[in-house]
Amino acid sequence: RRIVDIVDSNKKGERMEKNILERDVEKYLRDRVKGLGGLTFKFTSPNAIGVPDRIVLLRGKIAFVELKTLRGRISPMQKWQHERFAEHGFIVEVLRSREEVDDFLRRWTG
């Protein structure tokens, strides 16, 4: 079931999507990165649980992206993996809406 309800939800008055599905945020990320000339790959590792959902390659940079809904939680294993990646100098982002995807891409690409 897909329900998208736009509501004002933060101090800055930015609009956030409520009840958007993770797959919708993931598709939006893929489309936006492709539109900027980049690549995204689904990241699965049979021998390592909790790795981020996507690897994003854009303008000579690599980032790892975990996609969640607004209500989605990061598991302890995911948190641990994200910290490991960050300790090695990699960017790890958790994105929960189209707005967060846009914000991430603005910050990341300058």
Side-chain angles (χ1 to χ4, degrees):
R1 186 171 89 154
R2 181 172 185 244
I3 302 169
V4 177
D5 180 21
I6 307 295
V7 294
D8 288 332
S9 67
N10 64 23
K11 297 175 191 173
K12 296 178 186 175
E14 294 173 356
R15 293 161 61 87
M16 295 293 290
E17 297 160 304
K18 185 178 178 182
N19 298 325
I20 189 169
L21 297 177
E22 185 176 305
R23 71 174 180 235
D24 296 328
V25 179
E26 186 168 14
K27 181 181 183 325
Y28 186 74
L29 172 70
R30 286 191 328 261
D31 292 346
R32 290 280 289 122
V33 170
K34 183 179 179 181
L36 293 169
L39 303 168
T40 63
F41 296 98
K42 187 75 173 167
F43 185 16
T44 57
S45 181
N47 296 323
I49 340 174
V51 296
D53 296 313
R54 288 269 166 186
I55 301 170
V56 179
L57 308 170
L58 182 63
R59 300 181 184 165
K61 298 178 181 179
I62 298 173
F64 295 89
V65 175
E66 182 68 44
L67 298 150
K68 293 287 181 189
T69 63
L70 290 175
R71 293 187 178 117
R73 295 183 187 170
I74 301 294
S75 73
M77 184 58 77
Q78 287 172 319
K79 184 177 179 184
W80 179 75
Q81 289 284 22
H82 296 178
E83 289 169 356
R84 285 183 63 206
F85 281 50
E87 287 170 3
H88 287 278
F90 291 102
I91 295 168
V92 180
E93 290 275 338
V94 178
L95 305 177
R96 300 173 182 278
S97 69
R98 291 178 182 108
E99 286 82 5
E100 288 186 6
V101 169
D102 289 338
D103 180 57
F104 162 66
L105 290 172
R106 269 192 300 277
R107 286 183 288 108
W108 195 45
T109 62

